[in-house]
Amino acid sequence: MPATDYQASFLGRISIRRNQVIAMDGNHEQELQDLELFSKHVSERFAELLSSPDDVPFDALLSISWLRKLLDFFLCCEAEFKGILMMGNDPSQISKPPLDRLIPEFLDRSVKALDVCNAVTNGLESVRHYQKLAEIVVSALEQKPIGDGQSRRAKKALTSLISAMNVDDKECSAAKATERSWSFSRRGVSSKDRVPEHFRSVSNHVAKNWSAAKQIQAMTNNLVPPRGAEGSGLASPVYTMSVIMVFVMWALVAAIPCQERNGLSAIHFPAPKQLNWAQSIIGLHEKIGEEWKKKEKKGTAGLLDEMQKMEKLGNILMDFTDSFQFHGDITDQKAEEAAAHAAELAEPCRRMEEGLLPLQMQIREVFHRIVKTRTELLNALDQVGKSSPPLL
Amino acid sequence: MDGCRSGVPTYEGDLHVVAAAHHIVKALGATKNLSDDLRKILIDLDSHLSMITSNIDSKGGRGLVDVEERLDQAERKIMRWETDPMMIWDSGPKEASDYLEAVDETGKLVDGLRGLSVHENRKQKEILHRAMNIFQTAMSRLEEELIHILVRHGQQFEPKNMYSRSIRKDIVYDESFVSVEDEPTKETSSQNCSNDESGECIVDLVHADVIPDIKSIAKVMFTSNYGPEFCEAFISVQKEALEQYFSFLGTEYLSIEDVLKMEWTCLSSKMNKWTWSMKIIVRVYLASEKQLCDQVLGGLGSVSSYCFLEISKATILCLLNFGEAVAMGPHRPEKLLRLLDMYETLADLLRDIDTLFSEEAGSFIQLQFHELLERLGESAIAAFKAFRVAISSNGSLYPFAGGGVHPLNKYVMNYIRMFPEYWNTLNLLLKNQHPGVADQVTKPDYGPDTSLLTSCPMAYHLRSITSCLESNLHKKSQLYKDEALQHIFLMNNIHYLVQKVKGSELRLFFGDEWIRKHNAMFQQHAMNYERATWSSVVSFLKDNNPGSSSMSKSTFKERCKGFSIAFEEVYKTQTSWSIPDPQLREDLRISTSLKVVLAYRTFLGRNLAYTDDKCVKHTVEHVENSLLDLFGGSSRSLRNSRRW
């Protein structure tokens, strides 16, 4: 959904209501309406994400296009949130309780989200590498007739692909610390196509000991739904936006290779079900969490739909190349099956080719947006409370 | 093509035709400026023709036997290396070229057999599969050889010789001003780093001798459709080499959270290091990497720039992220110079970046650079403003003992003395800040002889900073109860300000008029001091009736006593005051001496009749000498010590 869409409807509704309402406290009334609209939009957007059909591969949960939609919605919600917070009639509100506590906490969360964005951007480099390996598999197996040569070529790329995807999070941070050797141990060679060790696993452009899971866990610190009277004020959009931010970062980390993700599924979102807008987020959280639990034990590069397809087809094709090597030849039927699988593998490759760079750019956009809002909020706090001690 | 395949020709005539065609293809293939597609077609054609020739030669049926023989030969050459622990390219150029020849031969046979295999000839198919198998072994081997060559002949270069490390003097802003010392003026060694950097500095990341080897491997892998394997191997090794170099520079990966929490001294050194690493990475390393990619992969369309982007992207983003983190951090005044360093470095590198990442896929990186530059500029301006705020809000509860040069003054002046080095950047950033204001304020003050420098935005801001400082110093002077000490304090401080301006490039921005005005100002304070301190003392020595010859003895005694007490009092207080500048101290003593000693001598001279009396406590010489003790910074007393 393009940003202009919601803006038009957002503003439209405001003007209509303005004409209708003759309230005693116009400002407060207006604010309540804005808040209501905000949570309505949040709820609508995430409901759309939740209802993504699994059978339509293009829009499947955690596919590249789904993630892009998620980020789009994040940007929309963020813009709306900022509007409510900063363009209110009384800017000094943000320096009064409870916001004087909630805003710094929110900013702290924002900074943590930035590091997640960077880790994920870095993880996309690995995904890019998987794509290239899968493309080699496709191009080896689409040749006809399939012979031992192509089968071996495919197998070599598949071995790299599958081992790269199975590198568990811890290993990839440890591998970096020691100097990798490119040796192929040429003596006593048994396999014909040696795959170098640690062939470009997740390269670690993230701080040592940084953990994605812990980072997200830390983002949920102090994140509690506003209670009592706070629930009707600005505390509630701060809370809503926080939950959205944590969820989006959590989903990105689940989907894309990242450093240290142990315990990701255990992260609990303190979003009560009775809040309308939260229901779809909770639904998504449960759905993705289940998926993650299934994969976590085995060790996975991530839940990105395209990557999972790659993994599945990769394993099938690996079996095929194994049996090819074992039997020396293959029946026509098997060869056709393999060709069909290879063609199927070409599909996620194509979507990665089209989507990865835009996704990376969008994550960067999210990054810049978070930075910008943070700066604006800090400036606003600075303006309002010149006398209070400066905030980081 | 079908014509070629439609059967194995047996006529002599065909042989000639094929030979002629082969000749033409070879000749065409030798042409240099061929497009990749065309070259590929020619290579294909070439292998078809060799196949046909071999078939014709062998009179039809025996063709395959010949093909098999050729394959056997190639296979022996290729497979023998599979059991050899040595790497081929390490073994010598002959071995390498033999190997490449065998690979080439196998490739031709594969292509040829593929062209012929329409005929469902079982034997033919078998040979094709065998050939392709051998071919895969060779390709896999070439990939290994490539990685081996890149790793073995990869070269690291010493960054030390590249750019001097400490480009500018480190100044640490300390809120408490305790550690701020008045450092002697050390002119920085390398003023403008862009001078020695303008020349492209390219090194061989991989030894130049092996570039042809890598190229030959690239050539054969790309023509055989193994380009993706080549790229992945090449990118992997080079990417890792860059990462290693990155850590070799001592640059580490820091999370944004870490940067925001970092202590200033640590952050300051990291900012310095960033500036330094950024230059080396972009201008030397990446420029060299780009050259390597072009050398090896030039002529293969966008492959070179694709590989370059994949190799460098992660490291670049990492460097950019540190910049973003710094720009996000609290805008403390002490950050200003470091931020300006970073800004200038980046601005300076933009052209390089735009060239390195000129392709469409690289525009993402370009954009990130431009965004960061903007952010750093904003951050520098914010730090600049914070600097001013810090100056005007620096408050004191107690008067600064002795009335000497206040640490705030020292700090500010030593800090802004660095500004002229950044004047281009500061002008650029400040101009956008206050459009119009600068024009208004500067011109009327500085009349017709306004030089370009005194009317630039930085000059305006510099003067506004010092006037901020001056008013703060005035505020601080009010803390002294003694009016004379207020003047000493202001005299000292304004004198210091002027000296700092005169003694550095700042004078160009402040202008002569400003200096004249401020010279007059501290001189005024000196005069005010004299009046405040000495008028009352000297008034004892004044002749109230200029007409009469002398005063009565009792009046003389009374005057003498009054003078002594007042003088001793001044002596006691003002020996503890301080005038750090020796010249200024000397000047003030002389002018005081002129006034006081002269008056005293006249007074005594006019009343010579009484001077032997005990009531004359101090001789003229004594007064003159005592005046030398003033402003020494430690309190003394005259009362109990009669020195003669």
Side-chain angles (χ1 to χ4, degrees):
Chain A
M1 177 156 99
T4 45
D5 255 23
Y6 88 83
Q7 269 174 353
S9 60
F10 178 51
L11 295 174
R13 280 178 229 196
I14 289 175
S15 61
I16 291 165
R17 295 203 182 184
R18 271 201 180 132
N19 296 335
Q20 287 171 343
V21 172
I22 313 153
M24 293 196 297
D25 186 352
N27 291 344
H28 189 61
E29 188 71 23
Q30 187 59 52
E31 189 184 292
L32 282 179
Q33 281 173 22
D34 290 351
L35 294 183
E36 203 180 288
L37 260 169
F38 176 58
S39 47
K40 184 167 179 293
H41 288 149
V42 170
S43 150
E44 281 169 3
R45 284 175 191 136
F46 281 87
E48 194 183 327
L49 286 168
L50 182 62
S51 67
S52 278
D54 282 341
D55 48 338
V56 182
F58 194 70
D59 264 346
L61 186 72
L62 295 179
S63 63
I64 293 175
S65 58
W66 187 89
L67 286 176
R68 292 190 56 192
K69 205 184 209 175
L70 174 71
L71 294 177
D72 249 350
F73 288 168
F74 174 84
L75 291 170
C76 292
C77 292
E78 212 270 351
E80 217 170 314
F81 165 71
K82 198 168 82 182
I84 289 174
L85 208 56
M86 315 262 294
M87 286 159 217
N89 292 308
D90 182 11
S92 67
Q93 269 201 58
I94 58 170
S95 67
K96 286 178 193 154
L99 289 186
D100 62 336
R101 175 176 54 84
L102 295 175
I103 298 273
E105 281 171 10
F106 177 79
L107 294 178
D108 195 42
R109 236 166 257 139
S110 300
V111 170
K112 290 188 162 70
L114 294 178
D115 280 323
V116 175
C117 284
N118 286 338
V120 169
T121 305
N122 188 43
L124 285 176
E125 296 282 293
S126 306
V127 181
R128 182 90 168 144
H129 179 55
Y130 306 155
Q131 177 206 334
K132 293 292 157 185
L133 290 170
E135 280 171 5
I136 293 175
V137 175
V138 172
S139 89
L141 294 180
E142 74 189 358
Q143 286 179 39
K144 279 176 191 168
I146 295 183
D148 195 25
Q150 290 102 314
S151 156
R152 275 173 48 212
R153 184 184 182 191
K155 188 181 159 74
K156 188 181 174 190
L158 281 167
T159 311
S160 298
L161 175 64
I162 290 168
S163 75
M165 282 178 124
N166 282 331
V167 178
D168 106 71
D169 304 343
K170 250 195 190 140
E171 213 174 287
C172 75
S173 49
K176 186 68 205 165
T178 56
E179 207 168 294
R180 277 182 228 162
S181 65
W182 287 97
S183 79
F184 297 83
S185 59
R186 288 211 54 80
R187 273 168 212 284
V189 228
S190 55
S191 152
K192 281 177 187 164
D193 308 284
R194 287 160 296 265
V195 176
E197 288 166 53
H198 297 302
F199 195 80
R200 202 171 159 197
S201 55
V202 184
S203 61
N204 195 5
H205 285 269
V206 179
K208 261 184 236 162
N209 304 325
W210 190 86
S211 152
K214 280 194 194 130
Q215 187 84 355
I216 291 178
Q217 183 72 62
M219 284 176 78
T220 62
N221 282 350
N222 311 320
L223 185 56
V224 280
R227 258 164 286 180
E230 285 182 9
S232 62
L234 286 178
S236 102
V238 173
Y239 171 72
T240 306
M241 197 58 221
S242 293
V243 170
I244 293 172
M245 190 186 276
V246 175
F247 173 75
V248 169
M249 295 303 142
W250 178 83
L252 284 173
V253 167
I256 295 161
C258 239
Q259 184 171 307
E260 267 287 354
R261 291 178 292 183
N262 277 338
L264 194 62
S265 60
I267 291 172
H268 172 68
F269 282 81
K273 285 213 167 162
Q274 66 267 27
L275 291 174
N276 253 332
W277 59 266
Q279 277 169 15
S280 300
I281 294 184
I282 293 168
L284 284 167
H285 180 240
E286 280 168 0
K287 220 166 153 183
I288 298 170
E290 280 306 308
E291 279 292 297
W292 180 261
K293 263 184 221 157
K294 273 190 255 165
K295 299 275 171 178
E296 199 174 29
K297 286 173 207 132
K298 286 194 294 171
T300 178
L303 297 179
L304 187 70
D305 185 58
E306 283 80 2
M307 248 160 60
Q308 296 209 64
K309 292 222 163 64
M310 237 172 215
E311 200 175 4
K312 196 178 114 217
L313 290 164
N315 282 320
I316 293 173
L317 288 169
M318 191 68 167
D319 288 345
F320 166 77
T321 57
D322 280 345
S323 71
F324 201 110
Q325 287 217 294
F326 188 72
H327 298 294
D329 204 352
I330 208 85
T331 60
D332 285 352
Q333 195 205 336
K334 282 244 171 183
E336 260 167 49
E337 269 176 34
H341 286 309
E344 222 180 304
L345 183 58
E347 182 58 22
C349 288
R350 198 181 54 72
R351 269 190 267 135
M352 283 182 178
E353 180 66 34
E354 284 168 4
L356 282 184
L357 189 64
L359 179 61
Q360 201 168 25
M361 288 165 81
Q362 209 177 0
I363 292 174
R364 201 68 189 164
E365 193 186 339
V366 166
F367 177 97
H368 288 311
R369 176 73 75 78
I370 294 174
V371 171
K372 202 170 161 222
T373 300
R374 182 181 171 277
T375 310
E376 286 173 16
L377 274 172
L378 283 177
N379 286 345
L381 282 175
D382 201 36
Q383 287 297 315
V384 177
K386 275 279 185 207
S387 55
S388 60
L391 286 148
L392 271 188
Chain B
M1 283 293 209
D2 262 340
C4 300
R5 283 195 216 125
S6 65
V8 180
T10 47
Y11 299 112
E12 288 271 312
D14 287 357
L15 199 61
H16 288 301
V17 172
V18 173
H22 208 163
H23 191 75
I24 293 167
V25 169
K26 280 256 193 283
L28 284 173
T31 324
K32 270 186 181 155
N33 309 317
L34 281 184
S35 78
D36 299 323
D37 289 343
L38 196 55
R39 196 176 289 281
K40 182 86 179 55
I41 290 168
L42 286 174
I43 287 165
D44 287 347
L45 203 54
D46 186 43
S47 51
H48 279 302
L49 289 168
S50 1
M51 189 62 60
I52 293 163
T53 319
S54 73
N55 282 333
I56 296 168
D57 273 349
S58 57
K59 306 234 163 54
R62 286 200 46 233
L64 278 177
V65 179
D66 267 10
V67 169
E68 222 174 343
E69 268 169 25
R70 285 168 61 193
L71 188 60
D72 285 346
Q73 242 179 32
E75 186 181 22
R76 269 194 300 279
K77 285 187 188 169
I78 289 169
M79 296 311 286
R80 100 171 160 83
W81 286 103
E82 290 304 293
T83 48
D84 195 320
M86 284 288 285
M87 294 307 281
I88 304 166
W89 265 261
D90 285 352
S91 309
K94 174 80 172 72
E95 277 75 8
S97 70
D98 275 0
Y99 192 82
L100 282 179
E101 220 168 78
V103 175
D104 192 45
E105 174 83 350
T106 317
K108 274 182 191 156
L109 291 172
V110 168
D111 284 348
L113 285 161
R114 245 205 216 125
L116 292 170
S117 69
V118 200
H119 295 288
E120 273 306 317
N121 181 331
R122 211 180 154 65
K123 178 77 177 160
Q124 220 167 295
K125 202 172 157 189
E126 204 184 294
I127 300 175
L128 172 64
H129 281 306
R130 215 184 103 213
M132 282 171 74
N133 210 355
I134 298 166
F135 198 63
Q136 164 62 24
T137 304
M139 286 298 139
S140 186
R141 179 56 185 255
L142 286 177
E143 190 185 327
E144 272 179 51
E145 295 282 339
L146 168 70
I147 292 172
H148 177 74
I149 294 172
L150 287 172
V151 172
R152 182 153 176 234
H153 300 279
Q155 308 189 108
Q156 267 195 356
F157 60 93
E158 273 296 314
K160 299 273 182 313
N161 317 327
M162 294 297 164
Y163 302 110
S164 77
R165 188 59 187 280
S166 53
I167 299 157
R168 287 171 171 129
K169 198 167 70 165
D170 238 330
I171 282 206
V172 179
Y173 188 97
D174 188 332
E175 295 285 357
S176 68
F177 303 112
V178 172
S179 67
V180 179
E181 292 296 323
D182 193 5
E183 292 175 52
T185 323
K186 256 185 272 158
E187 277 311 312
T188 44
S189 49
S190 66
Q191 301 261 333
N192 197 347
C193 26
S194 59
N195 286 343
D196 49 301
E197 285 160 23
S198 49
E200 288 261 301
C201 188
I202 290 182
V203 296
D204 291 324
L205 293 180
V206 173
H207 200 283
D209 291 351
V210 298
I211 298 290
D213 298 340
I214 301 171
K215 270 174 89 166
S216 63
I217 292 174
K219 193 179 152 218
V220 67
M221 286 183 81
F222 273 92
T223 47
S224 318
N225 250 334
Y226 276 71
E229 272 97 337
F230 182 94
C231 288
E232 285 309 282
F234 185 77
I235 291 168
S236 296
V237 179
Q238 290 309 101
K239 192 174 175 186
E240 187 157 320
L242 173 56
E243 277 161 28
Q244 263 172 21
Y245 191 72
F246 193 68
S247 59
F248 174 71
L249 290 181
T251 324
E252 50 187 324
Y253 303 107
L254 293 165
S255 71
I256 290 180
E257 234 183 334
D258 289 343
V259 175
L260 289 181
K261 281 183 197 150
M262 202 171 277
E263 290 244 345
W264 166 240
T265 39
C266 183
L267 182 63
S268 165
S269 84
K270 294 252 186 278
M271 286 165 89
N272 258 338
K273 188 164 241 170
W274 183 91
T275 309
W276 177 72
S277 321
M278 192 66 157
K279 271 184 218 157
I280 293 174
I281 294 268
V282 171
R283 202 157 267 166
V284 186
Y285 199 104
L286 291 186
S288 307
E289 188 74 62
K290 179 82 176 168
Q291 181 189 265
L292 177 67
C293 289
D294 287 344
Q295 277 174 343
V296 173
L297 301 163
L300 289 167
S302 60
V303 178
S304 169
S305 58
Y306 158 74
C307 286
F308 176 71
L309 183 64
E310 293 292 308
I311 291 166
S312 53
K313 195 200 240 167
T315 300
I316 284 285
L317 281 177
C318 186
L319 279 166
L320 288 171
N321 281 334
F322 177 80
E324 292 284 353
V326 168
M328 270 173 70
H331 307 302
R332 284 197 294 258
E334 63 267 33
K335 266 168 87 178
L336 178 57
L337 295 187
R338 291 289 88 79
L339 279 170
L340 289 174
D341 281 336
M342 287 173 76
Y343 181 93
E344 287 190 347
T345 303
L346 216 55
D348 211 25
L349 290 175
L350 272 191
R351 236 181 321 127
D352 302 65
I353 289 296
D354 289 350
T355 328
L356 288 173
F357 299 96
S358 54
E359 320 284 320
E360 204 203 326
S363 60
F364 170 60
I365 296 289
Q366 269 189 41
L367 186 73
Q368 298 306 312
F369 262 87
H370 286 267
E371 290 217 14
L372 178 59
L373 184 71
E374 200 177 309
R375 202 95 62 226
L376 285 172
E378 287 163 9
S379 196
I381 288 301
F384 192 91
K385 285 182 183 160
F387 180 54
R388 260 186 71 157
V389 171
I391 295 169
S392 46
S393 65
N394 174 273
S396 317
L397 287 176
Y398 305 103
F400 181 63
V405 179
H406 196 276
L408 173 70
N409 192 1
K410 289 186 186 176
Y411 178 75
V412 171
M413 292 315 289
N414 282 321
Y415 201 68
I416 67 172
R417 218 179 51 196
M418 303 293 160
F419 287 9
E421 278 190 47
Y422 301 87
W423 81 280
N424 270 326
T425 304
L426 275 173
N427 268 345
L428 188 77
L429 294 173
L430 293 168
K431 191 167 70 193
N432 304 337
Q433 207 51 33
H434 299 286
V437 176
D439 306 332
Q440 263 179 16
V441 179
T442 44
K443 275 172 189 161
D445 254 5
Y446 293 94
D449 62 341
T450 314
S451 78
L452 215 58
L453 289 181
T454 52
S455 59
C456 71
M458 186 181 88
Y460 160 69
H461 282 275
L462 277 174
R463 287 191 295 266
S464 114
I465 281 176
T466 51
S467 79
C468 225
L469 176 63
E470 283 168 50
S471 62
N472 188 315
L473 290 169
H474 271 281
K475 225 165 40 195
K476 288 191 192 316
S477 77
Q478 299 303 308
L479 294 169
Y480 297 107
K481 287 194 193 100
D482 191 331
E483 193 201 335
L485 186 51
Q486 289 179 3
H487 289 300
I488 289 291
F489 176 76
L490 286 172
M491 177 197 71
N492 275 330
N493 281 284
I494 291 168
H495 177 262
Y496 180 84
L497 212 108
V498 176
Q499 289 308 108
K500 283 288 164 184
V501 169
K502 269 160 74 179
S504 69
E505 279 185 71
L506 286 176
R507 71 181 179 280
L508 305 172
F509 298 92
F510 280 85
D512 294 340
E513 184 57 37
W514 185 94
I515 293 174
R516 260 197 297 282
K517 231 164 99 182
H518 283 75
N519 269 333
M521 235 182 247
F522 81 76
Q523 279 156 6
Q524 183 62 49
H525 284 297
M527 277 157 64
N528 291 349
Y529 151 78
E530 281 177 15
R531 202 176 48 236
T533 298
W534 297 107
S535 295
S536 58
V537 180
V538 171
S539 68
F540 286 107
L541 313 175
K542 286 249 171 75
D543 199 346
N544 289 347
N545 310 306
S548 65
S549 57
S550 64
M551 56 181 70
S552 67
K553 184 162 183 178
S554 63
T555 316
F556 176 76
K557 268 176 95 168
E558 198 184 299
R559 292 284 187 91
C560 248
K561 197 176 169 200
F563 173 79
S564 296
I565 291 169
F567 184 75
E568 281 161 17
E569 189 55 40
V570 168
Y571 182 87
K572 191 183 162 204
T573 331
Q574 301 199 0
T575 42
S576 72
W577 294 0
S578 129
I579 300 179
D581 187 84
Q583 187 62 49
L584 184 62
R585 193 165 58 224
E586 190 59 29
D587 288 351
L588 194 64
R589 278 173 183 159
I590 290 170
S591 107
T592 307
S593 205
L594 275 177
K595 192 172 182 181
V596 178
V597 175
L598 195 68
Y600 194 44
R601 184 175 285 135
T602 314
F603 171 72
L604 291 182
R606 203 176 293 158
N607 301 287
L608 267 176
Y610 317 127
T611 47
D612 55 339
D613 199 282
K614 272 189 189 165
C615 65
V616 182
K617 210 170 162 189
H618 304 293
T619 63
V620 174
E621 289 70 31
H622 183 229
V623 167
E624 199 167 1
N625 288 330
S626 299
L627 285 174
L628 296 178
D629 295 339
L630 299 185
F631 315 120
S634 56
S635 179
R636 296 185 185 202
S637 175
L638 276 179
R639 195 155 299 187
N640 305 319
S641 62
R642 289 192 62 155
R643 285 203 240 159
W644 57 93

